[in-house]
Each structure stands twice: as C-alpha cells, then as structure tokens.
C-alpha cells in the first residue's frame, strides 16, 4: 500500500497469505451478515479455491487471491451475501470446468445469473479484439439492466486488476487504464459508488500520465502542512459556531483526489495554487433543515466565493448524489470548499446503489428510490438498438458518462440533458412527436437556431408545426443518443422497403469484397439463424437495420460466414481422401507457378503449403495432411504435430518432392554461442559468403551465463545445402551448437 495522502490511497497488493486474507474477509462479512449467509459465502470460497487450484496470476501468486480480493472490496460496501458469493465465483465458469448450471444447482438462479453476467463471451470468433470487447460490454450492460449487481461485481473486479496492474506489460497497462477511465470510472460515478470511482481514476491517471501524476503527488506533499493548517482552522471555527447554535454535526477534512485536481488544472489551464477546492471540509448533520442552517452559519462567518454555490439537495445529480457545496474565503485568504449533507446522503455518496441491498429492509420506499437511481440505464436501453454493441457503448459515453445541463420548461419544470444538447434534444425529451414536429425554438424568449447549445438555467420553448418532419441533418445536430435513436426510428418506419433493399445490397457487396459468393453463403436458413442471434426480429428487419445503419453490415456477414464455415467443415469431414484430391485437381489453377516443389500422389500443381511447425526441405522424408479449406499441408515424417488421432491418420496422403523444382525453402536454425563482441557479425559474414539469404534474425543474451542464442530463418534449396551451411557455422569461434529449429519461420 502506498499512502500518498490521507484519503488518497493507491493500494498495491503485497505477498498473498490465503488464511490471513480469508480470516480478515470473513470477519468483515460477519460484522453485518447473518451466520447462515456467512456459511454460504464460505461454501462459495471453498468451491472457488478448489476450482482455481493450480492457476496463478501474472504476479505468480495463487489465482484465488483475485476473487477473494474482489469480494473483500464489495464487502467494504456492505453489499448482500448473494453478490459476495457471485464475486467469489465470478471467474469459475470462464476459467474452470464448472458450468453456469453447476453454480445454479449449488447457489441458486440469482447467483448463477450474476456470475453469467460478468463472464466474457468466448463462443464467437471476432474480427478484432475491439469487436469482442464491445460485445462483452453489451452483454454486461444488458445483464446490468436486469440486476445492477452485475456491474458492481465488475467494478470490484476491475479495481483489483488495476491494483495489480504493475505485473502487466507497459502497453497493456496503458490500454487497461484507458478503458478504465473511459468506461468503468464513469459507470461507478453514475452508480454513485465514489469509493471505487476515485481509486479507479487515480490508478488510471498513474499509469496513463506517470510523470504528471508523480509531479502532482510531490506538489501536494510540499503544501500538505500549510493545507492542513488552513483546513484545521476552518473546522475549529465552524465547530465552535455550530456548537453555539446547538447543531450536532460531524466535521472532517476532505482530501481531494489527484485525478480530479489534474482534471481541473487541465480544463481551466491553471496551476495547483489556483484550484479553489483543494482545501475542503465535509459537514454531516442529522436533518435537511440542519444542512441549510449550517450553510447560513458558514456564510455568516466567511464571505462566499461568487458562483461557487451548488444545491444538490433540491436538485440531486442523476446518480442521486445530494449535498450542499459552497466555497468560502477562509484562513489566510485561501478558498475552502465546504460540503454539507445528512447521514443518509453521506451513505448514498459513499456506497451508491450498493447501499440498496444493505438498507432496503424496513424501507418502504427502497425499491422506488432504487429504480430512480438506475432509470438512466433503462432509458438508454429503451432508446438504443441493443443488438449493435458499438452504438450501445457510444450511447453510454454520450448520454450517461458526459456531464449534464439543467434547463427549464416555460412552466418551470427542470429537465436534465447531456452536455452539448440542443433544443431538438429538449423537444425529443418532452415527447417524441414534439421532436418530430419541431420547426424552431425560443431560449429565454428569443428565437434561436436548432443547433444552439443549451446552457444551465435556459428556459426552452419549442415551436411545432403539424407539417413538421425530421431531417437527416438532425442526426449531426443533436447531442443526445436518445434523440438520434428516435430520429433513426422515424426514418426506419418511413423508408422500410427502401432500407430492406439497401441492406440486402450492402450484404452482397460486402460478401463480394471478402471473396464470398453471397448466394452460396447467404441462405435463408443461415439468415434466420443470425436474425435470432442478434435479436433483430425478422430477416426483413435485419436487412432494414443493415440498410439504415442500425446494425453494422460486417457484424451480420461475419455471423453468416461463421455458420457457412462450420457447415462446410462438417461436409468436408465426411469426404474420403480420394474425393478431396479429385476436388483439388478440379480447382487446380490454370496458370500455376513453375514447380510447387511437391507432388501429391504424383500430381503437380495442387494447392500445397509447407507446415510451419517443422519446415520440411527437399531431402527430408515428408507426409501430406489434408487440411480443411487450405489444401494440403506438408510435414516432415518425424513431425510431432500430426498423427495423434484416428482422424489424423485418415487425412494423411502420399506426397513426394518434385525433383524438377528450383524453389527455395525457409528453414529455422538455432545457434548457441558465447556472447562476445562481433559474434553476430561473424555469423552473418559466413552466410553472406555462402550467398544464403536471411529472412529473419533474432539474438537473445542470457546475462547469467554470458551466452547468446541466435535464431535465424534462412532460404536454402535442400537438406544437403542446409547441412553444409550448419557445418560452416559450427566452425565460427565460440559457437557451441548449431541445430535445426523445431518451430516455424
């Protein structure tokens, strides 16, 4: 653990002691859960420990440390026992032989659903890792809409991974930190779990901008003593004044987290001395009237800073955060931020939605309040086409993770919209038909263009017409994904037949671009299967979605081609060796390159390739292996990669070297030598003298033994030339061994 500042803690895991960590965790859960619930949690730990036996983390420590650490993070939020069980088991289905059905049988359907919700998708092959990650997000978000505890587990999982990120490669550290800052920290913010949010942000900042992070840490340390004096004096004066007014309050200094300071400095182009809320005090009282009384007393002692007062009690944030914020000019003329809230507000601020399961018993309004807290997520899912993961994640980034602007209707009702919203977004938020019929807008009584950016406090009045209708240009104007979705849906309904045709044409064009015959791959049966996979309704609705851009054409074609390949492989598996050879003969290129180097049952010009596992060259004994879809793979007779199953034996075929060939072949050579100055140059000089072409070279020095391993890939004609070259290389001074590599080129 690195204690950089009180409240600003970056946690790094130390040596793992399973018994000690388990005892600390069980002590924690016993402090707020029943004995029966704790027994279930212990049962889950024992299963996870057994399932992950033998598995290790990147740090080399037992894998069980990870699920146990995740469960402990969530136990600190005092979350319910089912979530803790799922946290302990969250990697069991993905990484071990246990199934979702096993979990359901042992711990019930709720736990099984939570575990399944955080399990990544592995059943599909994706074109890019980004596609797979977006699909994982889609699955997680849909599961989260049914039970938000899915994302709470995922946040605990991500936090522990961030704490142990030092064991990953530098490029992976930055990738994971960037993803954390873009997706998981904003999610924890919107769910109001600030304990996790702050640590995720500070850890991400540390890996993405290490120089700036440590520079800020040093600056904060230098000013710590002066800052503590200012905060302590402010607290002392406030404590005396509240005592005189007979107001019971808990007053503490509140450290500012590094990333939030850095964001303010970057946004306003200011240095550390110009950040107003660097010095902060938090006041917690029993009732809402007490909050406003404390505010009045604070403003009577010190002068408030203009425009720095925020009332989040009467107008809570979308994550239900409530507090009064004011900044006063305090001791030594330094600005100090004061936050004032009740104990209930403080609990929501610390635990967010995680507090729901802890306190819902006996709270009649618990479920109603909770539904309000996650309403934003359900709204996004209602607006968005959930079969398109990229659109869904973009919608979250646009509507959920961005800031907010508060505007008013002419009647004085408050409407919250994402930052960057325009009058059209307001119109669509009021009602879909108001948006469709919008022809103009008034802001504070003055007519403005439809692309006017709304500001806090604007009074918005929408002008509509019965003949009004959406324009495609609106998609580039609106700032909310809700508006974009409603505009798209209007065009989807209006131009359905045209969109169906456009979608079919786009799929055919994409298939042609990837060298597939659309009539061959795009059968009605496969299209129906993919429609079901993507929850797209009917095949016509799938084509229409491709036509208006609701589902990427590449996503649909990828799924269709996957089905096509699986069916083709099944058919090929039933074919005899003779049938396959005849098929290869029929598809032999009319203009083949002279001498492929290998004859198949005496036939030249068939599709063959040298196996990378053993790199055969003329002179080696060889055997052919019929692959699925890639012709015949040629292996050395002693290759250990094939011949292990009855199916392998059935697919082997007689091949021989074509004596007429003049082709060159790639061969790997491994050289083990003493590491001295010039050794690599001498090796290359030998090959240059023999006129041997080098296609790849790699040298690795062992610092302990002072030896060097040189890996070469060279082009040679046959086995006799290879042996001659290796003999020459063995004569180089300080070379111990020269041998043919077993791996590929």
């Amino acid at each position: 653990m690195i204690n950089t500042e009180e409240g600003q803690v970056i946690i790094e895991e130390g040596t793992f002691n399973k018994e000690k960590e388990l005892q600390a965790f069980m002590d924690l859960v016993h402090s707020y859960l029943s004995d029966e619930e704790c027994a279930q949690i212990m049962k889950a730990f024992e299963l996870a420990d057994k399932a992950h036996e033998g598995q290790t983390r990147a740090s080399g420590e037992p894998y069980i440390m990870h699920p146990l650490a995740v469960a402990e993070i969530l136990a600190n939020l005092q979350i319910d026992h089912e979530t803790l069980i799922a946290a302990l088991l969250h990697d069991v289905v993905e990484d071990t032989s246990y199934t979702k059905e096993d979990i359901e049988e042992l711990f019930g359907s709720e736990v099984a659903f939570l575990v399944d919700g955080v399990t990544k998708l592995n059943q599909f092959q994706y074109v890019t890792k980004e596609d797979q990650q977006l699909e994982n997000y889609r699955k997680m978000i849909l599961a989260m809409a049914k039970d938000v505890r899915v994302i709470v587990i995922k946040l605990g999982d991500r936090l522990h991974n961030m704490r142990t990120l030092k064991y990953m490669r530098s490029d992976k550290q930055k990738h994971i930190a960037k993803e954390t800052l873009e997706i998981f920290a904003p999610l924890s913010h919107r769910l109001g779990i600030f304990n996790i949010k702050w640590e995720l942000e500070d850890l991400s900042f540390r890996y993405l901008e290490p120089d700036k992070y440590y520079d800020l840490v040093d600056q904060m340390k230098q000013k710590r003593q002066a800052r503590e004096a200012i905060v302590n004096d402010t607290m002392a004066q406030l404590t005396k004044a509240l005592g005189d007014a007979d107001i019971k309050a808990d007053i503490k200094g509140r450290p500012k987290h590094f990333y939030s300071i850095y964001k303010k400095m970057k946004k306003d182009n200011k240095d550390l001395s110009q950040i107003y809320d660097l010095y902060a005090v938090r006041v917690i009282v029993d009732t809402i009237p007490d909050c406003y009384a404390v505010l009045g007393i604070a403003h009577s002692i010190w002068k408030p800073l203009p425009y720095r007062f925020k009332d989040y009690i009467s107008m809570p944030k979308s994550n239900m955060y409530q507090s009064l914020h004011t900044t006063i000019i305090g001791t030594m003329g330094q600005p100090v931020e004061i936050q004032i809230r009740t104990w209930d507000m403080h609990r929501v601020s610390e635990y967010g939605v995680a507090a729901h399961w802890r306190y819902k018993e006996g709270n009649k309004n618990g479920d109603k309040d909770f539904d309000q807290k996650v309403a934003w997520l359900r709204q996004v899912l209602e607006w968005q086409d959930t079969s398109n993961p990229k659109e869904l994640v973009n919608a979250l980034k646009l509507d959920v993770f961005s800031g907010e602007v508060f505007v008013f209707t002419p009647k004085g009702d408050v409407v919250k919209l994402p930052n960057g919203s325009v009058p059209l977004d307001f119109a669509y938020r009021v009602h879909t038909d108001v948006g469709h019929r919008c022809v103009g807008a008034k802001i504070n009584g003055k007519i403005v263009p439809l692309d006017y950016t709304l500001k806090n406090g604007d009074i918005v009045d929408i002008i509509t017409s019965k003949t009004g209708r959406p324009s495609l240009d609106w998609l580039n104007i609106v700032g909310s994904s809700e508006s974009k979705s409603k505009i798209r849906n209007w065009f989807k309904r209006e131009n359905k037949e045209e969109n169906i045709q456009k979608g079919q044409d786009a799929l055919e064009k994409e298939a042609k671009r990837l060298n597939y015959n659309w009539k061959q791959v795009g059968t009605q049966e496969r299209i129906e299967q993919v429609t079901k996979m993507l929850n797209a309704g009917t095949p016509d609705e799938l084509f229409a979605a491709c036509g208006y851009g609701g589902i990427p054409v590449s996503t649909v074609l990828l799924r269709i081609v996957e089905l096509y390949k699986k069916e083709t492989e099944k058919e090929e598996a039933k074919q005899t060796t003779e049938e396959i050879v005849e098929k290869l003969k029929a598809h032999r290129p009319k203009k083949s390159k002279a001498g492929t180097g290998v004859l198949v049952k005496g036939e030249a010009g068939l599709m063959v390739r040298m196996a990378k596992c053993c790199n055969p060259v003329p002179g080696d004994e060889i055997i052919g292996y019929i692959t699925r879809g890639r012709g015949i793979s040629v292996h050395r007779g002693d290759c250990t990669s094939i011949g292990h199953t009855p199916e392998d034996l059935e697919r082997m075929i007689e091949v021989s070297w074509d004596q007429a060939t003049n082709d060159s072949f790639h061969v790997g050579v491994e050289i083990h030598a003493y590491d001295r100055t010039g050794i690599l140059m001498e090796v290359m000089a030998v090959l240059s003298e023999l006129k041997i072409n080098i296609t790849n070279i790699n040298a690795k020095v062992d610092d302990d033994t002072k030896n060097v391993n040189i890996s070469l890939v060279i082009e040679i004609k046959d086995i006799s030339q290879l042996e001659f070259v290796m003999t020459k290389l063995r004569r180089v001074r300080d070379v111990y061994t020269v041998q043919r590599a077993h791996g590929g080129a």
Side-chain angles (χ1 to χ4, degrees):
M1 179 182 294
I2 301 172
N3 230 330
T4 54
E5 182 88 10
E6 184 190 348
Q8 295 171 324
V9 177
I10 296 258
I11 297 175
E12 287 187 333
E13 301 298 320
T15 304
F16 177 66
N17 182 318
K18 183 167 71 174
E19 289 72 23
K20 187 178 176 183
E21 295 293 335
L22 177 61
Q23 186 60 53
F25 169 66
M26 292 308 298
D27 288 346
L28 179 59
V29 297
H30 269 294
S31 69
Y32 73 95
L33 292 174
S34 70
D35 289 345
E36 186 182 342
E37 290 168 334
C38 291
Q40 282 287 299
I41 290 169
M42 191 65 198
K43 179 182 170 186
F45 171 80
E46 288 167 354
L47 187 149
D49 192 26
K50 180 184 173 186
H52 290 298
E53 190 175 358
Q55 296 178 355
T56 56
R57 298 271 288 168
S59 63
E61 292 174 300
Y63 194 90
I64 189 62
M65 74 171 290
H66 172 64
L68 182 56
V70 173
E72 187 173 3
I73 288 167
L74 302 189
N76 279 307
L77 299 176
Q78 297 199 335
I79 205 158
D80 66 303
H81 77 290
E82 286 176 325
T83 310
L84 294 179
I85 292 170
L88 287 166
L89 302 174
H90 78 273
D91 278 334
V92 162
V93 172
E94 186 177 335
D95 295 337
T96 77
S97 59
Y98 283 88
T99 64
K100 180 187 173 186
E101 288 70 31
D102 294 333
I103 304 299
E104 186 168 356
E105 186 180 336
L106 290 166
F107 298 100
S109 57
E110 270 195 64
V111 170
F113 176 82
L114 294 175
V115 171
D116 187 55
V118 290
T119 301
K120 292 174 190 163
L121 301 176
N122 294 315
Q123 64 266 43
F124 292 115
Q125 295 296 314
Y126 295 91
V127 175
T128 66
K129 285 187 177 179
E130 183 190 12
D131 287 345
Q132 183 167 9
Q133 187 66 306
L134 289 171
E135 190 66 36
N136 286 331
Y137 288 148
R138 184 182 79 91
K139 181 185 178 189
M140 181 181 73
I141 291 160
L142 292 176
M144 180 169 104
K146 293 179 185 174
D147 194 326
V148 81
R149 289 176 292 179
V150 167
I151 195 61
V152 177
I153 297 167
K154 191 65 186 174
L155 290 173
D157 173 62
R158 179 51 61 109
L159 178 54
H160 184 247
N161 284 336
M162 288 298 296
R163 287 177 179 176
T164 55
L165 201 56
K166 68 177 182 179
Y167 298 106
M168 308 297 284
R169 294 193 319 266
S170 175
D171 59 325
K172 203 158 188 180
Q173 287 176 349
K174 288 191 181 297
H175 172 76
I176 293 170
K178 184 172 183 285
E179 180 184 67
T180 300
L181 208 52
E182 287 182 355
I183 300 288
F184 294 99
L187 266 174
S188 57
H189 172 81
R190 284 307 297 260
L191 293 171
I193 311 174
F194 290 100
N195 277 346
I196 288 180
K197 177 210 170 186
W198 289 325
E199 194 177 343
L200 286 177
E201 287 183 338
D202 279 358
L203 285 164
S204 299
F205 176 34
R206 178 182 168 193
Y207 285 104
L208 289 172
E209 301 276 4
D211 293 341
K212 291 173 183 173
Y213 172 81
Y214 287 110
D215 179 54
L216 187 57
V217 170
D218 288 341
Q219 289 186 61
M220 293 287 284
K221 278 182 183 175
Q222 290 166 15
K223 300 189 177 185
R224 181 173 180 173
Q225 195 171 353
R227 181 169 65 256
E228 285 178 350
I230 292 166
V231 170
N232 288 340
D233 183 67
T234 304
M235 291 186 344
Q237 290 190 57
L238 196 54
T239 300
K240 184 178 183 306
L242 295 183
D244 293 343
D246 202 25
I247 295 175
K248 185 183 173 185
D250 182 85
I251 305 175
K252 287 180 181 173
R254 185 186 68 85
K256 197 75 177 170
H257 289 264
F258 294 121
Y259 184 66
S260 59
I261 297 170
Y262 171 70
K263 269 201 308 185
K264 285 179 183 288
M265 290 167 64
K266 190 175 178 183
K267 180 185 172 186
D268 301 329
N269 197 23
K270 293 177 178 177
D271 61 34
L272 194 62
S273 63
Q274 296 171 294
I275 303 299
Y276 290 139
D277 51 1
L278 198 59
Y279 315 105
V281 171
R282 178 177 290 150
V283 183
I284 307 176
V285 293
D286 293 329
T287 66
I288 291 176
D290 282 349
C291 291
Y292 289 98
V294 171
L295 178 70
I297 290 169
H299 284 183
S300 70
I301 302 172
W302 303 285
K303 286 185 179 179
L305 204 63
Y307 311 113
R308 296 287 300 172
F309 170 64
K310 292 168 187 171
D311 185 348
Y312 294 122
I313 292 180
S314 61
M315 291 176 68
K317 290 186 178 182
S318 53
N319 57 17
M320 303 309 290
Y321 173 86
Q322 288 182 288
S323 273
L324 296 176
H325 289 197
T326 186
T327 303
I328 51 93
I329 304 297
T331 309
M332 298 166 56
Q334 290 292 333
V336 179
E337 184 187 57
I338 300 176
Q339 294 181 357
I340 309 161
R341 61 177 68 146
T342 66
W343 286 104
D344 283 345
M345 293 172 192
H346 182 63
R347 191 184 72 246
V348 170
S349 153
E350 294 297 297
Y351 301 152
V353 296
H356 170 70
W357 291 275
R358 175 79 180 105
Y359 294 95
K360 69 177 179 179
E361 291 176 16
N363 180 0
K364 293 178 182 177
N365 295 319
D367 288 328
K368 185 180 177 183
D369 293 342
F370 177 72
D371 286 341
Q372 208 177 346
K373 288 174 189 174
V374 293
W376 55 268
L377 173 65
R378 298 199 175 113
Q379 280 180 324
V380 168
L381 297 179
E382 284 169 14
W383 303 330
Q384 286 306 123
D385 174 5
T386 55
S387 63
N388 185 341
K390 195 162 192 173
E391 280 289 316
L392 188 57
V393 173
N394 284 341
L396 283 170
K397 286 183 180 179
L398 192 65
D399 283 357
V400 177
F401 300 162
S402 64
E404 293 171 321
V405 60
F406 295 85
V407 295
F408 295 92
T409 67
K411 292 181 179 178
D413 296 326
V414 179
V415 176
K416 295 178 193 175
L417 292 165
N419 267 341
S421 292
V422 299
L424 280 169
D425 294 302
F426 177 90
Y428 277 109
R429 179 61 61 86
V430 171
H431 196 280
T432 304
D433 287 340
V434 173
H436 290 339
R437 298 202 308 269
C438 176
V439 292
K442 287 182 182 179
I443 303 294
N444 305 324
K446 294 181 180 179
I447 291 179
V448 296
L450 289 177
D451 61 357
Y452 166 89
T453 303
L454 296 174
K455 298 178 180 64
N456 277 324
D458 280 344
I459 300 171
V460 188
D461 191 3
I462 299 298
I463 303 166
T464 60
S465 166
K466 288 182 180 179
T467 58
R469 51 186 287 144
S471 162
L472 276 172
D473 293 338
W474 288 6
L475 290 170
N476 299 319
I477 294 173
V478 293
S480 155
S481 68
E482 171 194 8
S483 309
K484 286 186 179 181
S485 179
K486 288 179 177 179
I487 294 165
R488 281 201 194 102
N489 285 340
W490 187 87
F491 281 104
K492 183 166 68 173
R493 285 194 305 271
E494 290 292 307
N495 306 313
K496 187 175 181 182
E497 293 303 320
E498 184 184 334
N499 285 329
I500 290 171
Q501 189 58 49
K502 276 172 70 177
Q504 288 174 328
D505 293 344
L507 283 165
E508 190 169 344
K509 187 177 178 182
E510 179 70 1
K512 188 176 180 182
R513 186 182 74 80
L514 297 174
N515 296 318
Y516 289 105
N517 182 324
W518 173 246
K519 288 182 180 177
Q520 190 177 13
V521 298
T523 62
Q524 184 66 26
E525 186 182 349
R526 290 187 197 119
I527 289 167
E528 285 174 358
Q529 282 181 265
V530 171
T531 301
K532 194 174 179 181
M533 275 185 207
L534 297 175
N535 298 315
T538 65
D540 277 352
E541 287 172 328
L542 178 70
F543 290 138
C546 290
Y548 67 77
I551 302 177
V553 172
S554 58
T555 299
V556 176
L557 189 65
L558 173 68
R559 302 289 173 88
I560 291 173
V561 167
E562 277 178 354
L563 294 174
Y564 166 72
K565 282 181 177 177
K566 283 179 183 176
E567 290 169 21
T568 305
E569 283 176 6
K570 283 180 184 176
E571 288 173 12
E572 284 185 357
K574 295 174 184 175
Q575 290 180 315
T576 64
T577 301
E578 287 73 18
E579 287 172 335
I580 293 169
V581 172
E582 289 304 316
K583 190 176 178 182
L584 288 171
K585 284 181 185 178
H587 289 86
R588 177 166 32 198
K590 291 178 181 177
K591 293 183 180 180
S592 61
K593 292 180 182 177
T596 59
V598 174
L599 304 176
V600 180
K601 286 196 169 183
E603 291 280 344
L606 300 189
M607 188 165 71
V608 297
R609 64 183 183 85
M610 299 299 136
K612 294 285 181 73
C613 53
C614 56
N615 284 320
V617 296
D620 285 330
E621 287 187 17
I622 54 174
I623 191 161
Y625 182 81
I626 300 166
T627 65
R628 294 189 174 112
R630 292 180 296 170
I632 293 169
S633 174
V634 179
H635 295 256
R636 293 208 323 244
D638 59 354
C639 180
T640 57
S641 298
I642 57 169
H644 303 293
T645 66
E647 186 191 359
D648 279 354
L649 296 172
E650 287 175 11
R651 301 188 78 82
M652 287 181 181
I653 189 168
E654 179 194 331
V655 291
S656 59
W657 293 109
D658 184 352
Q659 300 301 321
T661 185
N662 289 314
D663 284 2
S664 293
F665 298 84
H666 287 180
V667 181
V669 174
E670 298 285 346
I671 302 170
H672 185 56
Y674 172 68
D675 181 35
R676 61 170 171 82
T677 304
I679 184 74
L680 189 58
M681 293 298 294
E682 288 183 34
V683 166
M684 293 177 71
V686 168
L687 295 170
S688 176
E689 184 184 340
L690 296 174
K691 295 184 170 52
I692 298 296
N693 187 35
I694 304 171
T695 62
N696 192 13
I697 185 166
N698 183 39
K700 188 176 181 182
V701 177
D702 186 328
D703 291 330
D704 295 331
T705 63
K706 301 299 180 185
N707 289 333
V708 61
N709 291 316
I710 303 170
S711 300
L712 299 166
V713 178
I714 58 177
E715 288 185 356
I716 55 97
K717 298 288 185 186
D718 55 31
I719 191 75
S720 60
Q721 186 185 21
L722 174 62
E723 288 172 353
F724 179 73
V725 170
M726 290 198 297
T727 299
K728 286 283 190 181
L729 289 171
R730 289 186 187 107
R731 291 175 182 172
V732 175
R733 184 167 61 90
D734 291 326
V735 167
Y736 306 144
T737 59
V738 179
Q739 61 187 21
R740 191 168 171 182
H742 296 293

